[in-house]
Amino acid sequence: METVERDDSRLEMERELMDMGVGYWKSRALNYVMEDNIAKHLQNGPRSAFLIANEIGVNPEFLYRVMRALSTQGIFKEEEEYGVFSQSPKSAILCENDWVNGVIFESEDFAYRSWFSFRESIKSGKSMGPKSIGYDSFWDIVEKNPSYGAVFREGMTVFTNHIIHTILNETDFSPFETIADLGGSQGVLLLSILKKLPSVKKGINFDLPSTIDNNKLLVSEREAQHSSTTLSRFTEVSGSFFDSVPQADCYILKMILHDWSDEKCVSILTTVSKCMKPNSKVYIFDAIIDSKNQPNYKVWLDLHMLHHVDGKERSRKEWGELASLAGFQVVEITPFSEKYSRSTGKIVLSKSA
Ligand SMILES: C[S@@+](CC[C@H](N)C(=O)[O-])C[C@H]1O[C@@H](n2cnc3c(N)ncnc32)[C@H](O)[C@@H]1O
C-alpha cells in the first residue's frame, strides 16, 4: 500500500477535526465531575481517586480513569503515586459554586439530549431540540422540571455577575428615574444599578410568575448584600412581556431577545412600545456578531440558541432590521470592552419618530 506523506500542518488539522468530533467525551466527563463535586475532594490536598470513589459510592477504577483523562486538559494534576491527584488552577475553579453553575447549566443532560436531534432542526428550519425530548419548548422544560429551573436561574446569575461591572462602567443609567429589567431573573443587575445610582428612584424586576415566586427565597441573601435604601427602591412584578410590561423610563432586555425568533422579538418590542412613555429608551444587552472566520464563541452560542431555544445571536445589521420592524430606531450599538461574555454589547433603541 502506498503511504501518503503528511506534513505537520495537515496532521495538526486532522488532530483538530478529531478533537471536535469527540468533543462530547470531554463535555460529558467535565459535566460528571462537576455534578459529583469531585474537585471539592482535593481542597485540602492531594487525594487518591480510589478513596474518593469509595467515599461517594462510584466505581474506583472508572473515577480514576475519568480524572486521568481530565488531567490531560489541566483539570486535576495526576501525581507520581498511582491514583493520586492534586488540585490544578482549573479544577480549583470547579470549587467555586458561582462559576460552576454556569458550566453545569450548559453541559447538563437536557441540553445534551436535545442536541441529538440537531440534524432535524437543520433539515426542517425549526428548533427541534426540546420537542425531540418530549417538551414543547425550552421554557416548558424549565416549568416542568423545578430542579432544572433552579440550575437555569443560577446559571443566568453567574453569567450576569461576570458582566455587571462592565455594564455599569460602560452604560450611563443616570438619566433615568424608573428602570424595568424585563426577564430580570434573580434581579442582580437591577440591584447593582440601584446600589450604584441613588438618583434612580425605582427599579422593577419583571419576570414570569414562577421566577418571581422563586425569588422570594432570595430575601435574606439580598438583605445581606444590599442596604435598605437600595432594597426599598427595588420591586418585583410578574407577568409576560408578550402581554404587558410596567411603565418605565428605561427598559433593560439582557439576554432576552437572543432567546427568541425575529417574529417573537417583534412581539416583545411591540409590547414595550405600547407600554412605554414617548421618550423611554430600551437597552438591549446581548451578543453582537461582528467577525468572520475567527474563533468566536457567540456563533456557537447561536447554534445552541437555534436548536435548543429557537433563538438567535444577531449582527449589527440584524439588530437594526429588528428594531425597525418593531417601530424603533437604533440610538447606539456599542460592543463592550469585555469580549468573552454572552452579552458582549449594548443596543440602545428609542421609538421611531
Ligand atoms: C436567558 S434568561 C436572562 C435573565 C437575565 N436577564 C440575565 O441576563 O441574567 C431569560 C429570562 O426571561 C424570562 N422570561 C421568559 N419568558 C418570559 C416572558 N414571557 N415574560 C417575562 N419574562 C420571561 C425567564 O424567566 C428568564 O428569567
Side-chain angles (χ1 to χ4, degrees), residues 309-320:
V309 188
D310 198 16
K312 184 176 178 180
E313 305 300 338
R314 296 177 170 87
S315 63
R316 280 171 182 269
K317 185 167 165 280
E318 288 167 328
W319 281 119

Side-chain angles (χ1 to χ4, degrees), residues 21-278:
V22 300
Y24 65 97
W25 297 352
K26 291 174 188 165
S27 168
R28 290 277 88 189
L30 177 61
N31 178 264
Y32 166 70
V33 295
M34 291 187 301
E35 295 275 6
D36 267 6
N37 284 315
I38 301 299
K40 288 197 173 159
H41 291 267
L42 303 177
Q43 276 178 312
N44 298 324
R47 299 280 317 277
S48 152
F50 305 117
L51 291 180
I52 298 172
N54 285 332
E55 276 168 30
I56 64 172
V58 298
N59 183 281
E61 189 208 329
F62 281 23
L63 179 63
Y64 163 66
R65 285 160 64 180
V66 172
M67 294 179 78
R68 179 179 65 180
L70 287 167
S71 72
T72 66
Q73 304 292 307
I75 303 165
F76 313 120
K77 178 170 181 291
E78 188 171 8
E79 299 294 343
E80 278 304 311
E81 192 181 338
Y82 180 60
V84 172
F85 292 85
S86 55
Q87 200 78 285
S88 68
K90 270 191 203 163
S91 60
I93 296 178
L94 300 184
C95 298
E96 296 167 19
N97 282 339
D98 254 17
W99 178 238
V100 160
N101 284 333
V103 192
I104 287 185
F105 169 60
E106 292 302 21
S107 63
E108 62 68 63
D109 292 358
F110 283 114
Y112 180 68
R113 284 169 49 219
S114 141
W115 266 80
F116 289 179
S117 57
F118 186 59
R119 176 192 288 266
E120 287 174 38
S121 287
I122 306 305
K123 270 176 119 177
S124 66
K126 295 197 173 78
S127 163
M128 297 304 291
K131 289 187 185 68
S132 68
I133 55 169
Y135 293 91
D136 289 342
S137 66
F138 167 77
W139 307 103
D140 192 31
I141 305 179
V142 171
E143 287 296 320
K144 291 184 177 150
N145 298 278
S147 61
Y148 181 65
V151 171
F152 170 53
R153 287 187 296 278
E154 292 296 329
M156 290 307 109
T157 293
V158 167
F159 298 142
T160 299
N161 279 336
H162 267 73
I163 190 80
I164 276 186
H165 186 68
T166 308
I167 292 182
L168 292 182
N169 279 343
E170 298 178 24
T171 312
D172 183 12
F173 292 107
S174 65
F176 306 114
E177 277 196 4
T178 303
I179 300 179
D181 190 352
L182 306 180
S185 192
Q186 296 187 326
V188 286
L189 173 60
L190 197 50
L191 282 162
S192 303
I193 296 171
L194 294 172
K195 182 177 176 184
K196 180 176 174 186
L197 293 172
S199 62
V200 178
K201 293 201 175 125
K202 192 172 174 188
I204 307 164
N205 189 41
F206 179 86
D207 210 300
L208 292 170
S210 56
T211 307
I212 298 299
D213 268 3
N214 270 292
N215 285 355
K216 289 182 187 136
L217 302 171
L218 302 173
V219 170
S220 50
E221 197 179 305
R222 286 174 177 168
E223 282 172 357
Q225 286 172 0
H226 295 280
S227 69
S228 54
T229 30
T230 297
L231 290 173
S232 64
R233 292 177 291 134
F234 177 81
T235 57
E236 296 205 287
V237 173
S238 63
S240 168
F241 42 50
F242 290 106
D243 301 332
S244 169
V245 295
Q247 196 174 65
D249 303 301
C250 167
Y251 292 94
I252 294 174
L253 286 162
K254 178 176 170 298
M255 290 201 294
I256 299 300
L257 298 184
H258 85 150
D259 290 340
W260 302 96
S261 64
D262 288 349
E263 196 189 354
K264 297 275 189 200
C265 288
V266 170
S267 279
I268 294 169
L269 289 170
T270 304
T271 312
V272 175
S273 173
K274 280 187 194 143
C275 300
M276 70 196 269
K277 300 176 191 172

